[in-house]
Amino acid sequence: MGDHKEQQPLRVGAAVRRRRRALELTLAVVAERSGLSVPFLSQIENDRARPSRSSLEKVADALRTTAVELLAAADPACSVDVVRGDATEPDFTARVRSLVRGHHQLHASEFTGDHDAGREFQHRNDELMYVADGAVEIEAEGRAYRLGRGDTLYLTGGVRHRWRATVPDTRVIVVAVAEHIEALRDRSR
């Protein structure tokens, strides 16, 4: 049993499809702009073909972006990753530890100790705050919420908030939908 992350190829097809649809382009238009065939582009979008660097750059140009941006938005192929709790170096001040490595749809971080209460956050997508130990006070939407061990607070995307630990050695877990994900929905209801 290893604790390492298996290096898996990125699935760039979904990123290409999302970008093409966001620009409201057909495969035929992208094919014409890139000089690649419609069947090949379809295979790329369905992850049945892996484009060469040159082909990916042609697709990116046709989609008015860069190959780097498409790769950054790519989905990792199936992967399993273990992040060990003892893998961090001791720090006697405030700590933040990423609980998920790499580029994924969810981000999770563990905050231990004091936190800058004056720093305001506003994230594009939803997030969940869970108090693993200690207590925090969170100001959101003009209200203050006090949370203790085992409590959670759910914030929809766009909510401005700030928080602070009210007990020494507080541990807060924050899980959020990644910023590169289009998880927004109609909030007018």
Side-chain angles (χ1 to χ4, degrees):
M1 253 197 207
D3 290 343
H4 66 286
K5 181 168 183 162
E6 295 288 328
Q7 287 297 335
Q8 298 288 331
L10 291 175
R11 297 182 314 182
V12 73
V16 170
R17 182 182 305 110
R18 282 190 299 268
R19 178 70 179 173
R20 179 178 62 79
R21 287 180 176 169
L23 295 172
E24 299 179 353
L25 299 175
T26 64
L27 280 173
V29 170
V30 176
E32 183 180 319
R33 289 181 180 178
S34 67
L36 302 171
S37 72
V38 171
F40 181 60
L41 290 171
S42 177
Q43 288 177 342
I44 291 172
E45 285 193 2
N46 291 301
D47 289 313
R48 288 191 208 115
R50 289 182 55 196
S52 66
R53 183 72 178 179
S54 172
S55 293
L56 186 59
E57 288 174 0
K58 290 176 183 178
V59 171
D61 287 344
L63 296 173
R64 297 187 180 106
T65 188
T66 65
V68 171
E69 287 294 319
L70 287 175
L71 288 171
D75 298 329
C78 298
S79 66
V80 175
D81 191 19
V82 175
V83 178
R84 297 283 179 197
D86 60 359
T88 60
E89 296 180 22
D91 183 357
F92 300 105
T93 61
R95 287 194 308 207
V96 179
R97 180 171 76 100
S98 180
L99 302 176
V100 178
R101 289 184 281 219
H103 186 76
H104 297 286
Q105 294 182 4
L106 284 179
H107 288 281
S109 298
E110 176 186 56
F111 295 83
T112 305
D114 250 347
H115 179 72
D116 179 6
R119 184 170 176 203
E120 184 176 75
F121 299 93
Q122 181 180 24
H123 301 287
R124 174 181 176 169
N125 294 318
D126 298 359
E127 73 178 75
L128 175 84
M129 298 179 77
Y130 170 75
V131 181
D133 286 309
V136 297
E137 186 172 89
I138 302 167
E139 181 186 321
E141 294 294 306
R143 292 189 57 199
Y145 301 89
R146 293 171 193 244
L147 279 66
R149 182 181 174 162
D151 291 341
T152 62
L153 179 79
Y154 188 88
L155 300 161
T156 58
V159 171
R160 292 181 186 274
H161 60 284
R162 67 185 76 216
W163 64 277
R164 68 181 182 91
T166 58
V167 173
D169 299 322
T170 292
R171 283 188 320 121
V172 176
I173 309 297
V174 177
V175 179
V177 176
E179 293 289 318
H180 72 277
I181 302 294
E182 294 271 347
L184 299 175
R185 63 182 177 278
D186 183 10
R187 301 202 192 279
S188 62
R189 292 185 238 169

